[in-house]
Each structure stands twice: as C-alpha cells, then as structure tokens.
Amino acid sequence: MNEAGGRVPSQLRKGVLEYCVLALLRDGPKYGVELLGELAAVSVMTTSQGTIYPLLSRLRREGLVDTRLRESPSGPPRRYYTLTAGGRAALGEFAGVWPLFRDAVDHFLNHPQGDPV
Amino acid sequence: MNEAGGRVPSQLRKGVLEYCVLALLRDGPKYGVELLGELAAVSVMTTSQGTIYPLLSRLRREGLVDTRLRESPSGPPRRYYTLTAGGRAALGEFAGVWPLFRDAVDHFLNHPQGDPV
DNA sequence: CGAGGTACCTTGCATGGCATGGTACCTGGT
DNA sequence: ACCAGGTACCATGCCATGCAAGGTACCTCG
C-alpha cells in the first residue's frame, strides 16, 4: 500500500498511467527510471519499477513505442523509449476521451441535491 | 468491448465508478437499475448490471451503504441503497484525491515540450 | 396461465497496478 | 584483484475491479 495517498490512487491509475507515459514520451526519448522520476514529480502518480517495466513491455509489444539501448555516462546501459505513429494515435484517442470522462466525474462529485445539469 | 467508447473508458472507470455511485446516493436512496440509468445519462459512464450489482454488494459488505427492500408500484421489489457515515467518509476522501489526480493527468496531457509547471 | 417487462444476482474472465525478488553494469575504496 | 553500493533492467505472482453471459423471481396484461 502506498502511504502517500492510500488505496484510492492505485485504482485510479489503472488505464491512465499508460497514457501519462505516452504523453511524457512526446518530449523525446526517455528511459525507465527517468519516467519513474517524472511521474513521481506529481506525487499522486508516484509508482514503482514493478509497475513501469511491465507497462513499457506491453507498450512495446503493442507497437506504441520503439526502443533503443544506449550507454549511460555512469552505470548500466539504458533502454530509451520513443513514440511510434501508433503511440501518437493512441495518445490522441485518449486525449479525446479523457475530458469527457474527467467532466463526468466532476459532474457526479459536484452536483448536490438534484441541481439541474 | 463497449462500442460507445471502446477500450479506453472501460479501464478509466476502474476505481471511479464506485465513487460516482456513492455520489449519486447523496441525493437520497436509489436502487440498482435507477443508478444504471443515472450513470448512463453521462454516456462515458454507461455500464451494465454485471458491473453494478457486484459493486453494490461490495459497498454493502464494506459498510459504505445500507440497503432496504421496498415494493415497487409495478414489478418486483427494489433494493434501495443509502449512504452510511462510512460511505460519506469514503466519498469525502475520494473528493480530496480526485482533483489532484485529475490535474495530474491534465498536466501530463497538456504540457508540450518542457513547459514549466 | 403464458408472454413480456422489470429487477436482482452470480460466475468466470481480462486487464492492469503492485510487491517482491533477481540479474547485470559500472565506479570507487582497500 | 576484489567487494560494496548505486544504477538500471526485467519477471513472477497476487489482487482489485469492470464486464459479458446467464440465471431467477416478481408483477401485469391478454
């Protein structure tokens, strides 16, 4: 259990983390641990290696990212992930659905006692 | 696969539907099919009986809702669900986390090429 | 008394986050 | 030469939860 947020965010991240990663890759190639850091910069998105690596493998298997192994200035080689055309398309699809979903949740949360929509 | 939205919304709903239901119950007791209808009023939240009934059973088991069987004016009796204090607390906790989560996703989606936060 | 509508519920599966544990590379100290 | 510690990658197994499919029961109407 994640102490910084508890049980709720873990379920929330389901199906969203994937697209946050794709979004981060718009800015250029990134490697696993780097992505972990950028996600954790927004604390509610903090996750672990046990989440990110299976996720990245899946993205690769589905052709949404390409990978390239590169030497590190200090440490073991890093696997850099780059968006493919398919990845860009998937991200675009999500960007279309997300606002609808977000507003729906806001709607349910913020309209007390039979407020008109 | 849900034709009205595809694979994305189904994963998005995970862990959120529960709180949308709790939010709907703030307005007073509701029964299963009624909740289905109110969720479907926002199309991205459309779901099925196979989702809602296990969910409601779980909420009851966890003490977030109370239930009461009542006769229907026409048809079989309906099981009405009411928020408990625990349910209200869970909803409040979610209402605290959700904006953080929502803004985080917006952040990742909307900040191109190294925009400062 | 059967057909159709309403309503409840269960079973089994698929998805995806997570804890845990393991491997390998590189550097720096002794 | 060797080992400790940091960095980085990856796999296994579990659990929560949405969903399709299928089942039961109540009520009304012809």
Side-chain angles (χ1 to χ4, degrees), chain A residues 22 25-28 63-65 82-95, chain B residues 113:
Chain A
L22 291 178
L25 293 179
R26 278 181 315 192
D27 302 355
L64 305 184
V65 298
T82 318
L83 273 189
T84 63
R88 245 171 253 282
L91 182 55
E93 191 195 348
F94 178 78
Chain B
Q113 272 78 304

mmCIF file of all heavy atoms in Angstrom, chain A residues 22 25-28 63-65 82-95, chain B residues 113:
data_model
loop_
_atom_site.group_PDB
_atom_site.id
_atom_site.type_symbol
_atom_site.label_atom_id
_atom_site.label_comp_id
_atom_site.label_asym_id
_atom_site.label_seq_id
_atom_site.Cartn_x
_atom_site.Cartn_y
_atom_site.Cartn_z
ATOM 1 N N LEU A 22 2.960 7.741 -22.317
ATOM 2 C CA LEU A 22 2.989 8.134 -23.728
ATOM 3 C C LEU A 22 3.123 9.649 -23.853
ATOM 4 O O LEU A 22 3.871 10.148 -24.694
ATOM 5 C CB LEU A 22 1.716 7.655 -24.440
ATOM 6 C CG LEU A 22 1.568 6.142 -24.624
ATOM 7 C CD1 LEU A 22 0.245 5.799 -25.303
ATOM 8 C CD2 LEU A 22 2.733 5.563 -25.415
ATOM 9 N N LEU A 25 6.557 10.844 -23.346
ATOM 10 C CA LEU A 25 7.462 10.493 -24.443
ATOM 11 C C LEU A 25 7.322 11.434 -25.638
ATOM 12 O O LEU A 25 8.139 11.397 -26.558
ATOM 13 C CB LEU A 25 7.235 9.041 -24.873
ATOM 14 C CG LEU A 25 7.637 7.997 -23.833
ATOM 15 C CD1 LEU A 25 7.364 6.595 -24.343
ATOM 16 C CD2 LEU A 25 9.107 8.144 -23.452
ATOM 17 N N ARG A 26 6.280 12.264 -25.630
ATOM 18 C CA ARG A 26 6.183 13.276 -26.696
ATOM 19 C C ARG A 26 7.408 14.176 -26.709
ATOM 20 O O ARG A 26 7.820 14.682 -27.746
ATOM 21 C CB ARG A 26 4.958 14.165 -26.480
ATOM 22 C CG ARG A 26 3.663 13.584 -26.968
ATOM 23 C CD ARG A 26 2.562 14.565 -26.706
ATOM 24 N NE ARG A 26 2.677 15.121 -25.344
ATOM 25 C CZ ARG A 26 1.728 15.825 -24.747
ATOM 26 N NH1 ARG A 26 0.592 16.036 -25.362
ATOM 27 N NH2 ARG A 26 1.906 16.292 -23.530
ATOM 28 N N ASP A 27 7.949 14.424 -25.508
ATOM 29 C CA ASP A 27 9.057 15.369 -25.377
ATOM 30 C C ASP A 27 10.391 14.785 -25.835
ATOM 31 O O ASP A 27 11.417 15.456 -25.758
ATOM 32 C CB ASP A 27 9.197 15.835 -23.926
ATOM 33 C CG ASP A 27 7.919 16.482 -23.416
ATOM 34 O OD1 ASP A 27 6.977 16.642 -24.222
ATOM 35 O OD2 ASP A 27 7.860 16.803 -22.227
ATOM 36 N N GLY A 28 10.383 13.536 -26.256
ATOM 37 C CA GLY A 28 11.624 12.916 -26.690
ATOM 38 C C GLY A 28 11.865 11.610 -25.960
ATOM 39 O O GLY A 28 11.152 11.288 -25.015
ATOM 40 N N GLY A 63 3.354 -2.110 -30.100
ATOM 41 C CA GLY A 63 3.844 -1.242 -31.164
ATOM 42 C C GLY A 63 3.600 0.237 -30.942
ATOM 43 O O GLY A 63 3.621 1.031 -31.878
ATOM 44 N N LEU A 64 3.368 0.639 -29.702
ATOM 45 C CA LEU A 64 3.138 2.047 -29.419
ATOM 46 C C LEU A 64 4.433 2.800 -29.156
ATOM 47 O O LEU A 64 4.463 4.032 -29.219
ATOM 48 C CB LEU A 64 2.186 2.206 -28.215
ATOM 49 C CG LEU A 64 0.849 1.472 -28.345
ATOM 50 C CD1 LEU A 64 -0.052 1.770 -27.153
ATOM 51 C CD2 LEU A 64 0.144 1.869 -29.637
ATOM 52 N N VAL A 65 5.477 2.055 -28.847
ATOM 53 C CA VAL A 65 6.791 2.674 -28.645
ATOM 54 C C VAL A 65 7.859 1.825 -29.328
ATOM 55 O O VAL A 65 7.683 0.630 -29.537
ATOM 56 C CB VAL A 65 7.152 2.805 -27.146
ATOM 57 C CG1 VAL A 65 6.158 3.699 -26.427
ATOM 58 C CG2 VAL A 65 7.232 1.444 -26.479
ATOM 59 N N THR A 82 10.725 5.511 -27.466
ATOM 60 C CA THR A 82 10.302 6.584 -28.367
ATOM 61 C C THR A 82 8.896 6.286 -28.862
ATOM 62 O O THR A 82 8.549 5.137 -29.109
ATOM 63 C CB THR A 82 11.227 6.637 -29.602
ATOM 64 O OG1 THR A 82 12.573 6.453 -29.185
ATOM 65 C CG2 THR A 82 11.075 7.963 -30.324
ATOM 66 N N LEU A 83 8.076 7.330 -29.013
ATOM 67 C CA LEU A 83 6.727 7.164 -29.540
ATOM 68 C C LEU A 83 6.760 6.723 -30.995
ATOM 69 O O LEU A 83 7.526 7.252 -31.785
ATOM 70 C CB LEU A 83 5.962 8.490 -29.472
ATOM 71 C CG LEU A 83 5.207 8.830 -28.195
ATOM 72 C CD1 LEU A 83 4.354 10.070 -28.427
ATOM 73 C CD2 LEU A 83 4.332 7.675 -27.765
ATOM 74 N N THR A 84 5.909 5.775 -31.349
ATOM 75 C CA THR A 84 5.697 5.443 -32.756
ATOM 76 C C THR A 84 4.456 6.202 -33.230
ATOM 77 O O THR A 84 3.785 6.870 -32.437
ATOM 78 C CB THR A 84 5.434 3.940 -32.928
ATOM 79 O OG1 THR A 84 4.231 3.610 -32.241
ATOM 80 C CG2 THR A 84 6.575 3.127 -32.378
ATOM 81 N N ALA A 85 4.159 6.053 -34.526
ATOM 82 C CA ALA A 85 2.933 6.663 -35.050
ATOM 83 C C ALA A 85 1.720 6.091 -34.310
ATOM 84 O O ALA A 85 0.797 6.822 -33.924
ATOM 85 C CB ALA A 85 2.816 6.402 -36.546
ATOM 86 N N GLY A 86 1.751 4.778 -34.071
ATOM 87 C CA GLY A 86 0.666 4.143 -33.337
ATOM 88 C C GLY A 86 0.526 4.703 -31.937
ATOM 89 O O GLY A 86 -0.585 4.888 -31.432
ATOM 90 N N GLY A 87 1.651 4.953 -31.293
ATOM 91 C CA GLY A 87 1.632 5.530 -29.946
ATOM 92 C C GLY A 87 1.013 6.913 -29.947
ATOM 93 O O GLY A 87 0.224 7.261 -29.060
ATOM 94 N N ARG A 88 1.383 7.689 -30.941
ATOM 95 C CA ARG A 88 0.816 9.027 -31.064
ATOM 96 C C ARG A 88 -0.699 8.965 -31.267
ATOM 97 O O ARG A 88 -1.461 9.755 -30.693
ATOM 98 C CB ARG A 88 1.465 9.752 -32.251
ATOM 99 C CG ARG A 88 2.281 10.955 -31.865
ATOM 100 C CD ARG A 88 3.071 11.492 -33.052
ATOM 101 N NE ARG A 88 4.486 11.188 -32.908
ATOM 102 C CZ ARG A 88 5.306 11.863 -32.106
ATOM 103 N NH1 ARG A 88 4.850 12.868 -31.386
ATOM 104 N NH2 ARG A 88 6.569 11.535 -32.004
ATOM 105 N N ALA A 89 -1.126 7.996 -32.068
ATOM 106 C CA ALA A 89 -2.555 7.838 -32.337
ATOM 107 C C ALA A 89 -3.298 7.447 -31.050
ATOM 108 O O ALA A 89 -4.355 7.998 -30.735
ATOM 109 C CB ALA A 89 -2.776 6.776 -33.412
ATOM 110 N N ALA A 90 -2.721 6.497 -30.289
ATOM 111 C CA ALA A 90 -3.353 6.054 -29.047
ATOM 112 C C ALA A 90 -3.452 7.219 -28.070
ATOM 113 O O ALA A 90 -4.477 7.406 -27.404
ATOM 114 C CB ALA A 90 -2.542 4.913 -28.436
ATOM 115 N N LEU A 91 -2.395 7.998 -28.003
ATOM 116 C CA LEU A 91 -2.400 9.171 -27.129
ATOM 117 C C LEU A 91 -3.484 10.158 -27.560
ATOM 118 O O LEU A 91 -4.199 10.721 -26.732
ATOM 119 C CB LEU A 91 -1.025 9.828 -27.154
ATOM 120 C CG LEU A 91 -0.825 11.056 -26.268
ATOM 121 C CD1 LEU A 91 -1.184 10.743 -24.824
ATOM 122 C CD2 LEU A 91 0.617 11.562 -26.368
ATOM 123 N N GLY A 92 -3.615 10.324 -28.875
ATOM 124 C CA GLY A 92 -4.636 11.223 -29.393
ATOM 125 C C GLY A 92 -6.036 10.753 -29.045
ATOM 126 O O GLY A 92 -6.892 11.543 -28.644
ATOM 127 N N GLU A 93 -6.240 9.459 -29.139
ATOM 128 C CA GLU A 93 -7.549 8.896 -28.800
ATOM 129 C C GLU A 93 -7.863 9.151 -27.336
ATOM 130 O O GLU A 93 -8.964 9.582 -26.973
ATOM 131 C CB GLU A 93 -7.538 7.391 -29.083
ATOM 132 C CG GLU A 93 -8.920 6.748 -29.017
ATOM 133 C CD GLU A 93 -8.847 5.214 -28.942
ATOM 134 O OE1 GLU A 93 -7.750 4.662 -29.175
ATOM 135 O OE2 GLU A 93 -9.866 4.596 -28.637
ATOM 136 N N PHE A 94 -6.879 8.914 -26.494
ATOM 137 C CA PHE A 94 -7.079 9.150 -25.061
ATOM 138 C C PHE A 94 -7.369 10.617 -24.788
ATOM 139 O O PHE A 94 -8.256 10.960 -24.001
ATOM 140 C CB PHE A 94 -5.848 8.711 -24.275
ATOM 141 C CG PHE A 94 -5.972 8.967 -22.806
ATOM 142 C CD1 PHE A 94 -6.733 8.132 -22.008
ATOM 143 C CD2 PHE A 94 -5.342 10.061 -22.228
ATOM 144 C CE1 PHE A 94 -6.864 8.373 -20.648
ATOM 145 C CE2 PHE A 94 -5.467 10.309 -20.866
ATOM 146 C CZ PHE A 94 -6.227 9.462 -20.077
ATOM 147 N N ALA A 95 -6.632 11.485 -25.458
ATOM 148 C CA ALA A 95 -6.823 12.926 -25.247
ATOM 149 C C ALA A 95 -8.236 13.352 -25.630
ATOM 150 O O ALA A 95 -8.744 14.356 -25.124
ATOM 151 C CB ALA A 95 -5.795 13.715 -26.060
ATOM 152 N N GLN B 113 6.530 19.910 -24.855
ATOM 153 C CA GLN B 113 7.960 20.239 -24.825
ATOM 154 C C GLN B 113 8.449 21.090 -23.645
ATOM 155 O O GLN B 113 8.746 22.268 -23.794
ATOM 156 C CB GLN B 113 8.367 20.937 -26.112
ATOM 157 C CG GLN B 113 8.774 19.987 -27.194
ATOM 158 C CD GLN B 113 7.569 19.341 -27.859
ATOM 159 O OE1 GLN B 113 6.741 18.731 -27.177
ATOM 160 N NE2 GLN B 113 7.466 19.475 -29.151
#
